[in-house]
Amino acid sequence: MSDPRVPAGTADIDSRLEGHRVELTGYCYRMLGSAFEAEDAVQDTLVRAWRNFEKFEGRSSLRSWLYRIATNVCLDMLNAGSKRARPVDLSGPTPLADAALNPLPENTWLELMPDGRILPSVDDPAEAAVARESVRLAFVAALQHLPPKQRAVLILREVLAWKASEVAELLDTSVASVNSALQRARATLTEHAGKPVDTANPLDEEQRKLLERYVAAFEGYDMAALTALLHEDAVMTMPPFDLWLRGHADITGFMQTIGAACAGSRLVATEANGTPAFAHYKPNPDGPGFVPWAVQVIDISEGSITGMHCFLDTRRWFPLFGLPDRLDTDAV
């Protein structure tokens, strides 16, 4: 960057600001529920900080100053009325007999996010576990039920472990107001956060074997094997479609009817939202090899698969994850 508004002697400002990009993206993603809006918010934050660096006089840490800017950017975006959800937040499950694929606008949906873009490396396993829990889809969806400032308070206090006085200073409010907002936010979150799921780092041997069996069952399109892995109340969602299914009978029934074109697919392991995920490639209908179909985010709990969340807009998701746009037959 080169700008006359940046004073001499700040040649390292780019690297200093970039060093905070991942954690800021995680913060903005939790606030906004959108991968692309979060990245836009962070870019706006860093540009504002860069242009106004001469006004930063070290009265707080650079990190605190950046979070203040990022919070204001997110609050401005949220004041425009954006609120994202999962299919399970908008309606009840659809019986297989009534299944139909009705798309809703992109800005309806909570979006997924690659771990590497939102989870900075930390040495403390407990801190890493909190970070992963706080980006899982159900948790971020629950955050969307909070008013914007309560959302900021809860993330800063509960996820990032800021002191109440630090949050009060950032939001230009009192410690009493912060504590009150946190109490209300916790109550709301308890209603919507759902059951905990297993996070992805590191998976234990039993969880790895479960996923290996899942890949074998899915790629073999073996519905009996898949049924054995799914919890009886497992859910399957498919944004941007509002349809969602509950129970292994409806899930496997859907895969054998409307979803039958996915037979013979291949899965490539990745990580999203702190949980296991797979890039799903289905057979190329126009020739050899395999083409992108979805990014699957998998919920695991107590030894079974409780959720298959299939994000189908591959033109957006596969580049975000750095995934190839096809698989050759001889590569699998």
Side-chain angles (χ1 to χ4, degrees):
M1 295 180 180
S2 177
D3 192 307
R5 287 169 288 189
V6 178
T10 58
D12 67 336
I13 184 60
D14 284 2
S15 61
R16 291 177 64 189
L17 295 178
E18 282 295 325
H20 295 276
R21 181 180 288 275
V22 173
E23 66 169 310
L24 288 172
T25 304
Y27 176 62
C28 294
Y29 172 71
R30 295 176 183 99
M31 287 289 291
L32 301 170
S34 164
F36 298 98
E37 287 181 1
E39 295 201 328
D40 287 347
V42 171
Q43 189 61 25
D44 190 2
T45 295
L46 297 181
V47 168
R48 292 188 192 189
W50 187 77
R51 288 176 174 171
N52 293 282
F53 193 74
E54 61 184 349
K55 300 177 183 177
F56 172 61
E57 299 174 350
R59 287 175 292 185
S60 63
S61 70
L62 176 60
R63 181 171 181 258
S64 297
W65 185 56
L66 289 172
Y67 270 92
R68 176 187 287 271
I69 298 171
T71 299
N72 289 333
V73 170
C74 289
L75 292 178
D76 287 344
M77 295 174 73
L78 290 168
N79 284 338
S82 57
K83 178 183 177 182
R84 292 175 177 266
R86 303 168 299 165
V88 297
D89 300 319
L90 300 182
S91 68
T94 304
L96 178 60
D98 299 329
L101 300 178
N102 302 309
L104 294 181
E106 173 275 323
N107 62 3
T108 304
W109 302 118
L110 179 73
E111 297 178 349
L112 75 169
M113 194 63 149
D115 283 3
R117 290 180 179 259
I118 52 175
L119 293 174
S121 299
V122 296
D123 295 328
D124 184 348
E127 185 180 344
V130 169
R132 288 183 175 277
E133 169 66 19
S134 70
V135 295
R136 66 183 178 89
L137 289 172
F139 186 88
V140 179
L143 289 174
Q144 305 299 300
H145 292 276
L146 300 177
K149 285 194 176 180
Q150 280 188 30
R151 202 177 307 178
V153 167
L154 186 133
I155 297 167
L156 291 166
R157 291 282 286 121
E158 300 281 84
V159 177
L160 301 177
W162 284 39
K163 297 177 181 177
S165 58
E166 295 171 327
V167 178
E169 182 178 358
L170 183 146
L171 294 174
D172 292 323
T173 188
S174 67
V175 169
S177 294
V178 167
N179 289 335
S180 176
L182 179 60
Q183 185 176 10
R184 296 194 303 273
R186 283 172 173 165
T188 301
L189 206 65
T190 298
E191 297 176 15
H192 298 283
K195 296 180 180 179
V197 299
D198 297 345
T199 52
N201 187 29
L203 292 173
D204 62 30
E205 184 176 0
E206 180 181 349
Q207 294 161 341
R208 289 195 300 271
K209 288 182 177 179
L210 176 66
L211 290 174
E212 289 171 1
R213 292 166 60 200
Y214 171 75
V215 171
F218 195 97
E219 292 186 343
Y221 236 57
D222 184 338
M223 295 300 114
L226 186 60
T227 296
L229 305 177
L230 294 175
H231 190 276
E232 62 180 5
D233 290 326
V235 301
M236 182 178 183
T237 68
M238 291 163 281
F241 300 116
D242 59 358
L243 168 73
W244 68 279
L245 304 163
R246 172 180 283 157
H248 44 66
D250 278 359
I251 292 172
T252 56
F254 178 90
M255 291 175 64
Q256 291 175 297
T257 53
I258 297 174
C262 290
S265 292
R266 296 294 180 265
L267 300 181
V268 176
T270 185
E271 290 181 1
N273 292 82
T275 53
F278 295 96
H280 173 186
Y281 294 83
K282 73 173 185 176
N284 183 0
D286 300 318
F290 302 85
V291 294
W293 183 245
V295 175
Q296 300 181 4
V297 180
I298 305 298
D299 291 339
I300 300 174
S301 181
E302 298 179 352
S304 63
I305 291 172
T306 57
M308 301 165 58
H309 307 289
C310 306
F311 292 81
L312 303 179
D313 191 353
T314 58
R315 289 176 296 180
R316 303 175 78 224
W317 304 127
F318 275 53
L320 184 71
F321 279 76
L323 293 164
D325 60 4
R326 64 173 285 120
L327 291 181
D328 295 330
T329 302
D330 58 5
V332 296

